[in-house]
Amino acid sequence: MIPAQFKKLLVALEHLTDKQTKDVEKFLKGDNLIQPIIAELEQRMIDEPECPHCHSCLINRHGKSAAMQRYRCKNCTKTFNAVTKTPLARLQHKEKWLDYLQCLINGKVLRASATDCDINLKTSFRWRHRFLQLSATMKATLLEADETLFARSEKGNRTLERKPRKRGMKAKKRGRSKEDWVPVLTVRDRGKHTYEAIILSVSTEQLNKELEGKILKDSVLCTDGFRSYIKFAQGNDLIHKRLDVAAGVQVIEKVFHIQNVNAYHSRLKAWMDRFHGVATKYLENYLGWFRFLDTNENPNKNNLFKAQQHLAGT
Ligand SMILES: [Zn+2]
């Protein structure tokens, strides 16, 4: 604001009623505290669009309300904004948040915060918990997990041919010899973030070992319902959606499916075919190279070059 305008503003402020003065104070105070949080949540909605009701990423802008962008989900048609289903949305007495956040920032104990904000101790406890949980809760997401198998190959042995993939063979494949096949676990979110790991076997122990600390509580995990995934989901507080693909169940409740991760595996396999069987010791490099090619729309030449250097050893 230019100085002349600011002077005008100061003059205008002299004519405020008491109520208006309080509102202005509240506005200034509130803007400083709550806006960065809301701005961050709104930015996330732009970076990684996701309906908080059904986790679909197909959303449209749908007007504004209370100075916040509203959205409408193409899938479930519900409307929402960036704070819907976050702890912020559930809090009552919204007018007191700002004071409460200030108490948190000042490091006040629960009882002092309660007194300051004119709320009871129980509410004070609940609010603190929710505010502190905010960032963790936001990361809970919709995930698809599945594994795919690669023929084990010793270095230099490029002749080992894989048999063509057959549909419905999965359960049997899992029982196949560890000497012949290497399982690759893939976990993917709807924002196309991909986590991949070569595992010894598709066991609960291996899943726990590979994914420990990488998936947040309350995330929805979609799998084909193999028993290791069931146990893994139970042990990690995940909501588990089991797609019995072999029995023809492709989608549950319109949004829960493993089609993204399966499509990813198909692209990966098609791409890998050109190498006619890769040495297992370099499999991780190939996986990394493909992840890079598949997720970066504008591949950075330096990164690509690095990936190719790794491959030069095969
Ligand atoms: Zn939706």
Side-chain angles (χ1 to χ4, degrees):
M1 184 179 274
I2 59 170
Q5 279 178 327
F6 186 60
K7 247 184 191 173
K8 261 189 186 174
L9 177 68
L10 287 179
V11 172
L13 285 174
E14 286 171 10
H15 304 290
L16 297 177
T17 65
D18 283 357
K19 166 85 172 64
Q20 286 170 333
T21 304
K22 275 193 176 160
D23 285 348
V24 169
E25 280 173 3
K26 206 169 182 174
F27 174 79
L28 291 174
K29 211 169 149 193
D31 247 21
N32 293 337
L33 286 171
I34 202 110
Q35 279 311 321
I37 296 177
I38 291 182
E40 197 197 326
L41 293 173
E42 295 212 292
Q43 190 57 46
R44 286 191 201 186
M45 194 59 81
I46 293 165
D47 294 342
E48 293 172 28
E50 184 176 324
C51 169
H53 304 289
C54 73
H55 297 286
S56 166
C57 58
L58 300 172
I59 65 175
N60 282 331
R61 288 207 254 189
H62 196 69
K64 285 201 171 189
S65 172
M68 288 195 70
Q69 178 65 51
R70 283 199 73 73
Y71 297 93
R72 185 166 180 276
C73 175
K74 280 190 184 176
N75 179 59
C76 71
T77 72
K78 286 179 183 165
T79 60
F80 54 91
N81 63 25
V83 301
T84 301
K85 291 221 174 177
T86 72
L88 286 181
R90 292 203 305 268
L91 292 173
Q92 301 290 308
H93 312 295
K94 292 178 186 175
E95 73 281 2
K96 291 178 182 168
W97 291 356
L98 310 178
D99 294 337
Y100 194 81
L101 272 172
Q102 189 61 61
C103 291
L104 268 185
I105 290 162
N106 294 344
K108 286 201 177 174
V109 296
L110 287 175
R111 196 174 296 278
S113 305
T115 309
D116 271 22
C117 301
D118 191 25
I119 54 177
N120 65 38
L121 197 58
K122 195 177 149 196
T123 304
S124 178
F125 177 80
R126 208 172 62 231
W127 282 15
R128 166 160 303 193
H129 183 70
R130 285 183 181 173
F131 275 117
L132 297 181
Q133 286 287 308
L134 180 62
S135 59
T137 310
M138 286 303 296
K139 287 176 196 154
T141 186
L142 178 57
L143 300 165
E144 298 176 29
D146 202 2
E147 78 286 338
T148 188
L149 296 171
F150 286 93
R152 188 175 293 281
S153 163
E154 300 311 317
K155 193 191 174 196
N157 181 0
R158 295 172 146 211
T159 55
L160 188 59
E161 290 278 314
R162 272 188 307 109
K163 299 233 165 67
R165 230 153 51 104
K166 284 180 193 162
R167 294 195 180 276
M169 289 293 284
K170 193 145 218 193
K172 282 181 187 168
K173 274 190 178 179
R174 276 179 175 123
R176 281 190 190 176
S177 156
K178 283 180 197 173
E179 282 81 51
D180 295 338
W181 298 93
V182 184
V184 172
L185 169 71
T186 307
V187 183
R188 218 167 138 85
D189 71 13
R190 296 284 162 93
K192 296 181 183 172
H193 301 108
T194 305
Y195 179 78
E196 246 174 347
I198 297 171
I199 51 180
L200 295 174
S201 63
V202 192
S203 66
T204 310
E205 292 72 32
Q206 283 285 301
L207 294 175
N208 277 326
K209 184 170 165 274
E210 278 309 325
L211 299 174
E212 188 188 8
K214 295 189 176 73
I215 300 184
L216 282 142
K217 276 206 297 190
D218 297 330
S219 290
V220 180
L221 182 70
C222 302
T223 77
D224 62 3
F226 187 60
R227 59 179 184 275
S228 303
Y229 290 111
I230 297 173
K231 281 189 190 161
F232 170 75
Q234 282 169 350
N236 289 276
D237 289 324
L238 304 174
I239 300 160
H240 189 207
K241 298 287 178 184
R242 297 157 62 179
L243 285 301
D244 193 351
V245 180
V249 182
Q250 304 281 347
V251 183
I252 300 173
E253 294 161 50
K254 288 184 183 174
V255 286
F256 303 114
H257 59 75
I258 52 172
Q259 289 165 1
N260 292 319
V261 74
N262 286 342
Y264 181 84
H265 282 161
S266 296
R267 293 196 300 277
L268 171 64
K269 292 278 190 177
W271 181 79
M272 290 285 257
D273 274 349
R274 78 193 58 191
F275 303 109
H276 305 293
V278 305
T280 297
K281 65 184 286 193
Y282 296 114
L283 180 57
E284 200 164 343
N285 291 342
Y286 283 86
L287 294 174
W289 194 17
F290 181 74
R291 263 199 317 279
F292 176 85
L293 291 172
D294 197 63
T295 50
N296 285 264
E297 286 179 6
N298 300 304
N300 173 309
K301 275 180 186 165
N302 288 327
N303 288 347
L304 194 58
F305 180 62
K306 266 186 202 160
Q308 279 170 330
Q309 273 185 325
H310 283 295
L311 292 172
T314 59

